Amino acid sequence: MVKALPQLGAGRLIVVEGIDGSGKSTQLALLQRWLVNQGYPVRFSEWNSSALVKQITKRGKDRRILTATTFCLTHAADFADRTERDILPALRSGGMVLSDRYMYTAFARDVVRGVEPNYVRQLYRFAIKPTLAFYYRVPLEVALGRILGGRNALKYYEAGMDLGLSDDIEESFRLFQRRILQQYELLSKEFGLMVIDATLSIEEQQAQMRAIVKPKLEGVKRLSKHGKVSLLR
Ligand SMILES: Nc1ncnc2c1ncn2[C@@H]1O[C@H](COP(=O)(O)OP(=O)(O)OP(=O)(O)O)[C@@H](O)[C@H]1O
Ligand SMILES: [Mg+2]
């Protein structure tokens, strides 16, 4: 059973948040490379990727039978599985965990879908508090410009079509993302998220992130060339 309010352990947990197209995955991949090059053991975890729940969520999405409640609960189950199976063990062993989206994604999306804000927060109370939670703040049109040009067709739930905002999937996506962006702005204050200006160049943002992460690495173990754990700095 998940114990309430688990401790971080000896490791560090760094998470990235923001609307679609804000540049989270780009920045996290660069951060991961930087950490690995320095010998830190890094575990990567991604939203909606747990082997336990993925198929159920996929079936629900493909058949369009997920409601706001079941959408919320399946994603919470996914998060719980990754927390217990991946995130907690890696942190307890003193490693770095990088998470592409975290509970704040649920706080934004589920609330936009009409789930009670306190309910979602209570549901995720088993979540480990991150060492650093970055929020990539970007105007809606910038994010839309980045993704609508270069990506495959939007999916039903991704565009928030279940909310009935518009029959046009692109328009629905815009309206849905706008509401999610409003939630992120509130969340950044509520949880003290570390705001990054995501309109800056990839390099500038990465330099800022590394400067913020660096002091948090003090005392974190590294792997030696032979794969052994060491505390050498
Ligand atoms: N600072 C930037 N300036 C210009 N383009 C960028 C910047 N950062 C990322 N991009 C580009 O924007 C697109 C979306 O970036 P990315 O996949 O990192 O976003 P994301 O926040 O992870 O989106 P999603 O939530 O959909 O996974 C990619 O094509 C990426 O190369
Ligand atoms: Mg991404």
Side-chain angles (χ1 to χ4, degrees), residues 99-138:
S99 185
D100 195 337
R101 297 189 172 279
Y102 205 60
M103 57 182 170
Y104 312 104
T105 287
F107 297 172
R109 288 182 179 166
D110 291 339
V111 167
V112 167
R113 286 204 156 85
V115 181
E116 170 69 33
N118 282 333
Y119 175 86
V120 194
R121 283 155 179 71
Q122 283 299 307
L123 186 61
Y124 279 83
R125 67 184 181 274
F126 61 84
I128 302 149
K129 192 176 178 303
T131 312
L132 283 169
F134 288 101
Y135 164 44
Y136 297 85
R137 176 183 276 153
V138 69

Side-chain angles (χ1 to χ4, degrees), residues 27-223:
Q27 292 300 326
L28 204 59
L30 291 169
L31 190 74
Q32 178 164 10
R33 196 189 304 164
W34 179 66
L35 291 168
V36 167
N37 282 344
Q38 293 176 81
Y40 291 104
V42 177
R43 179 80 63 95
F44 175 76
S45 189
E46 192 175 11
W47 192 250
N48 195 28
S49 65
S50 128
L52 183 69
V53 188
K54 212 169 157 185
Q55 292 308 317
I56 295 173
T57 316
K58 188 178 179 316
R59 201 185 316 153
K61 285 180 177 170
D62 288 348
R63 296 184 190 177
R64 300 183 182 174
I65 54 173
L66 288 175
T67 65
T69 310
T70 53
F71 194 102
C72 169
L73 292 174
T74 50
H75 285 81
D78 175 282
F79 189 89
D81 183 47
R82 289 184 296 111
T83 297
E84 292 197 307
R85 208 184 288 274
D86 299 331
I87 298 175
L88 262 176
L91 291 172
R92 284 190 177 131
S93 71
M96 302 286 307
V97 177
L98 303 182
S99 185
D100 195 337
R101 297 189 172 279
Y102 205 60
M103 57 182 170
Y104 312 104
T105 287
F107 297 172
R109 288 182 179 166
D110 291 339
V111 167
V112 167
R113 286 204 156 85
V115 181
E116 170 69 33
N118 282 333
Y119 175 86
V120 194
R121 283 155 179 71
Q122 283 299 307
L123 186 61
Y124 279 83
R125 67 184 181 274
F126 61 84
I128 302 149
K129 192 176 178 303
T131 312
L132 283 169
F134 288 101
Y135 164 44
Y136 297 85
R137 176 183 276 153
V138 69
L140 186 65
E141 291 307 321
V142 174
L144 292 174
R146 284 181 192 166
I147 50 179
L148 289 179
R151 97 190 219 172
N152 300 331
L154 293 166
K155 295 182 194 135
Y156 183 84
Y157 283 96
E158 174 185 43
M161 289 293 279
D162 55 312
L163 291 168
L165 301 172
S166 169
D167 291 339
D168 178 71
I169 193 159
E170 198 169 306
E171 180 60 11
S172 173
F173 183 66
R174 281 173 197 276
L175 295 168
F176 184 50
Q177 291 295 317
R178 185 184 304 282
R179 291 181 182 197
I180 290 172
L181 182 55
Q182 287 165 352
Q183 288 302 317
Y184 269 123
E185 287 301 316
L186 297 172
L187 289 166
S188 75
K189 292 190 191 80
E190 183 181 345
F191 293 97
L193 306 182
M194 184 70 71
V195 180
I196 298 284
D197 178 354
T199 63
L200 296 173
S201 73
I202 290 172
E203 294 75 18
E204 278 174 292
Q205 289 182 58
Q206 185 60 202
Q208 287 183 9
M209 273 181 86
R210 290 179 185 183
I212 295 165
V213 168
K214 202 168 178 212
K216 305 288 183 190
L217 298 174
E218 191 137 350
V220 179
K221 70 183 181 186
R222 294 200 213 185
L223 300 171

